Every structure is written in C-alpha cells, then in structure tokens.
Amino acid sequence: MSSISSSWDGTITSTQFHNAASTFSEIWNNFDLGFPHWSWINCPKKPGFAATKLQGYLSLENMILHRTTEEECVLAGIEDLTCSSEDLCNDTAILVQKDSKERHHYDFHVIYSSSFRVPVLYFRAYCSDGEPLAIEDLEKDFPAYTAQELAVSKWTFITREEHPYLNRPWYTLHPCGTSEWMKLLFSNEPSVVSQGGVAIEKYLTSWFSVVSPVFGFKIPLKFSTFMNSTPSKSGNVATVI
C-alpha cells in the first residue's frame, strides 16, 4: 500500500472533525479510563445563523494535574501505565485522586480551526478556589521537556487567545505545523486507505497522542490499541481538500 505523503495534506474538514470527535469521545468514555469524560458541546446559536450539531467543540472539564515526585507517584484509574521508571515519576503530570492544597484544575476544549483546518487545543487552568493560573504557574505543572520548550518559545508554543465560543481568554497550543506532523504520523500507518487518505475515526486519537504529552499524560495503551484495530465504521476518510 502506498504512502499518503504525496496525496494528503494532513488536514480535515469541519464535518470530519465532528465525526472524529464523536467517535473519540464515545470510545474514550466507554473505556472508563479514570479520566473525566469528553463530551461534545453545541455552540450557542448566533443571530442570523441556524445552530447545527457541527457547530461546537469537544470538552473535558476538571482534569487535575499534579507534578509528581519520586516519593509521590500515583496514577488513578489507569492500569496500563505504571510508575516503574525514575523518568516517569519525575517528569509525568498525572491524575491524582487525593486531597492536596496544590491541586490545579484544567479544562480542555478541542476546537476546529477553519483557518488551519485542524483541531486546536484550548485550555484554562485554575486553583480549587477558581483563581486562574498564570503561565508561570503552569510551568510548574508541566513535565521538564514542556517547560524547556516554553523557556525557548513561550508565546509561539502556547498563546493566549479569545475562546471562539466562550469569548473569554484561554490558553491554546498554536496550530502552526499541525497538518505537517499529522501527515507524517499517518505516512506509514496501516489505516491509510487506497483513496489517498486516513480513517477519520483514528485521526483525533493520533492528534491527541502528540498533544497530550505536553501536559504530561498519555493516552492509555489499551485505548490506542483498540482504536488502531477498529475498522472505519463509515469508510469516511480524510483526503486532499
């Protein structure tokens, strides 16, 4: 089977994004991974426009990230990942189910960018009392490699922009380059189809596998394995636009 490197540009349509988001959240939630659930949020109807199910975003609320130490290595609800290595214990931010005065809460929204034609991650972080975190506070939650990247290119790697639907400032991972690394991710994958594209159901899982380590957590192995082994339900593929 030939590579898609010369035929697919790594982007998807808004309809394909909605299909990918629906599949991703449904399977994620059914797995009961120990993380909060993803849900599709329909955007408010704007004057002069009819609201449709395609207008909205994928949302995960109230994730608690905690930078661990070697003595405090806890991963609640995830059996596939363990804290057996020193690097994992030192550098991985994980979900902690215990009382802590330093707990930081994160809300993640995945929104389709019509300009870049790719998903974009928006997020906000706050303390238990609702006080928002400054970017300097965020750096303390992130693993070492993310903090190093912030030190080099803070405002091109993570930017602060108005949330497209909530009209409030949120942090976002800049989407520049996303289509290129998505194209690279699928260049030699078995999910590549003869039409010159990739199975949409697998697109968001692959995207999230690159984005989530920025915050120090990874998609559990059993989830990724299931998605990669699941045939496309609709035959829907991403192709050159």
Side-chain angles (χ1 to χ4, degrees), residues 18 22 39-46 51-59 163 165-166:
H18 178 265
S22 298
S39 59
W40 179 263
I41 307 298
N42 288 319
C43 73
K45 181 179 179 181
K46 297 181 180 180
T52 71
K53 66 178 183 179
L54 300 182
Q55 296 175 319
Y57 54 89
L58 196 58
S59 172
H163 191 291
Y165 295 112
L166 302 182

Side-chain angles (χ1 to χ4, degrees), residues 131-149:
E131 181 69 22
L133 298 179
I135 194 166
E136 291 77 16
D137 298 317
L138 298 178
E139 294 176 13
K140 299 175 183 178
D141 288 341
F142 293 158
Y145 52 82
T146 302
Q148 292 169 0
E149 183 67 23

Side-chain angles (χ1 to χ4, degrees), residues 111-146:
I111 302 174
Y112 180 76
S113 168
S114 57
S115 299
F116 289 90
R117 303 202 306 263
V118 295
V120 180
L121 183 70
Y122 285 77
F123 69 97
R124 71 184 186 110
Y126 49 95
C127 299
S128 298
D129 61 1
E131 181 69 22
L133 298 179
I135 194 166
E136 291 77 16
D137 298 317
L138 298 178
E139 294 176 13
K140 299 175 183 178
D141 288 341
F142 293 158
Y145 52 82
T146 302

